[in-house]
Amino acid sequence: MKFKDYIASHQAFTTEDIYAITSREAAHTQLQRAVKSGEVERVRRGIYVSKTGRFTGEAPDPFLVARTVDPEAVISYHSALVAHGVAHNVGFECSFRSAKVRSPFEYGGVRYVPYNLDDNPQAQTMRSKSYGTVGVTTREQTLVDCLTYPGRVGGVEEAVRSCSAFPYLDVDALLEILGSAPAAVVARTGWLLEAKQADWGVASEKLLSLEARLGSGPSKLDPRSRENEDWSPRWKLYLPETEEEILSWTP
C-alpha cells in the first residue's frame, strides 16, 4: 500500500505501521512532508493522525488515540463512564491504564492521562465505529475505581451520579473486586449499593457482608471534603452534603 493511500484510510497510526509498508528512510521523509503540508498531525513521538481524505477536519476519537499509543490500554475512571454511556458530565480528559505510557500528553484539546496497569483491573472489550476495539474496565470495576478515587472522575458528585446510572451490576463480581479494599471504599460502596438496592437487586445479605468489614470507622464519602454535613450511621460514613441531597444524585 502506498503512503498516500495508507493515511487516507487509517486515521491514527504509528511510525512502526508506516515502516511496515515502506523503508524507514522513505517513511521519515514522507511523514515529514505530510506533517508540513497538514495532511498528518503528530500526537506525540511515534504517533500520528491523518487529516486528509475522509479524515479532513475530523478529530479522532480519544479512545482511538489511546489505543494507538498503547494497544493494551484499558480505558478507566471517567473515560470508562463515558464508554459505558453513563457519564453525567462531559470530560476533556481520556484516562487509561497502561504498562507502556507513563507521562500525560495533550492533543486536540484532550488531555491523555495514563495510570499504572499494575492492579490488574477487570476489563472487557468494547467496539465502536469511531475507535474500533478497545479495553474498558467493567461496570463493577469502574464503580470501585470511581469510589476509590473520586477525584479522578471529577469529584464525588460526578462519581455517584454517573455510577448510579448503571442499569444493572453483577454484585458478586463487585464484591470480588472489592477484595481487601480499605474500609473507606467498602463504606462508600455499601452506601451506594443500599441507595440503589431495589434498582440493582442487591440482596440484604450482601450489604451485611460489607457492613461487617467497616471496622471502627469513621470514613468519608468525599475524601477531599473538609466539612461534614451529615452522617450515615450504618456505614459509619461522613457525607459532604445532607443525605437527602446526596440521595437525589441516585435517581
Side-chain angles (χ1 to χ4, degrees), residues 28 34 52 55 61 64 79 87 99 174 213 220 232:
H28 284 298
T52 191
F55 306 123
D61 190 300
L64 174 61
S79 296
L174 176 61
R213 295 176 52 187
K220 289 185 174 185
S232 172

Side-chain angles (χ1 to χ4, degrees), residues 59-215:
D61 190 300
F63 296 169
L64 174 61
V65 173
R67 190 200 71 189
T68 305
V69 171
D70 179 5
E72 304 302 318
V74 177
I75 302 301
S76 304
Y77 303 107
H78 193 268
S79 296
L81 296 171
V82 172
H84 285 289
V86 296
H88 183 255
N89 289 324
V90 174
F92 297 95
E93 285 190 354
C94 179
S95 302
F96 59 98
R97 286 174 166 93
S98 174
K100 178 180 178 182
V101 185
R102 298 300 182 189
S103 301
F105 61 94
E106 293 188 15
Y107 172 74
V110 177
R111 179 173 171 80
Y112 293 84
V113 184
Y115 294 95
N116 289 335
L117 192 59
D118 301 340
D119 57 350
N120 192 31
Q122 294 295 309
Q124 64 187 90
T125 299
M126 297 187 75
R127 293 174 173 81
S128 167
K129 289 183 179 179
S130 63
Y131 56 75
T133 61
V134 70
V136 180
T137 52
T138 62
R139 292 184 299 274
E140 297 77 21
Q141 181 72 61
T142 302
L143 184 146
V144 173
D145 286 347
C146 291
L147 295 182
T148 302
Y149 302 106
R152 295 181 181 180
V153 298
V156 71
E157 181 175 350
E158 177 70 5
V160 171
R161 285 187 182 277
S162 299
C163 289
S164 295
F166 283 125
Y168 62 92
L169 291 174
D170 183 331
V171 178
D172 288 331
L174 176 61
L175 296 182
E176 183 178 350
I177 292 167
L178 278 175
S180 58
V185 177
V186 173
R188 293 169 200 156
T189 305
W191 181 89
L192 184 56
L193 288 180
E194 183 179 35
K196 298 290 293 184
Q197 184 174 10
D199 293 334
W200 290 340
V202 182
S204 295
E205 57 266 26
K206 305 295 185 183
L207 296 177
L208 289 172
S209 70
L210 290 177
E211 193 176 359
R213 295 176 52 187
L214 297 180

Side-chain angles (χ1 to χ4, degrees), residues 43-62:
V43 176
R44 54 177 282 158
R45 183 177 181 181
I47 308 296
Y48 299 87
V49 297
S50 174
K51 307 299 287 186
T52 191
R54 62 191 176 95
F55 306 123
T56 302
E58 182 178 333
D61 190 300

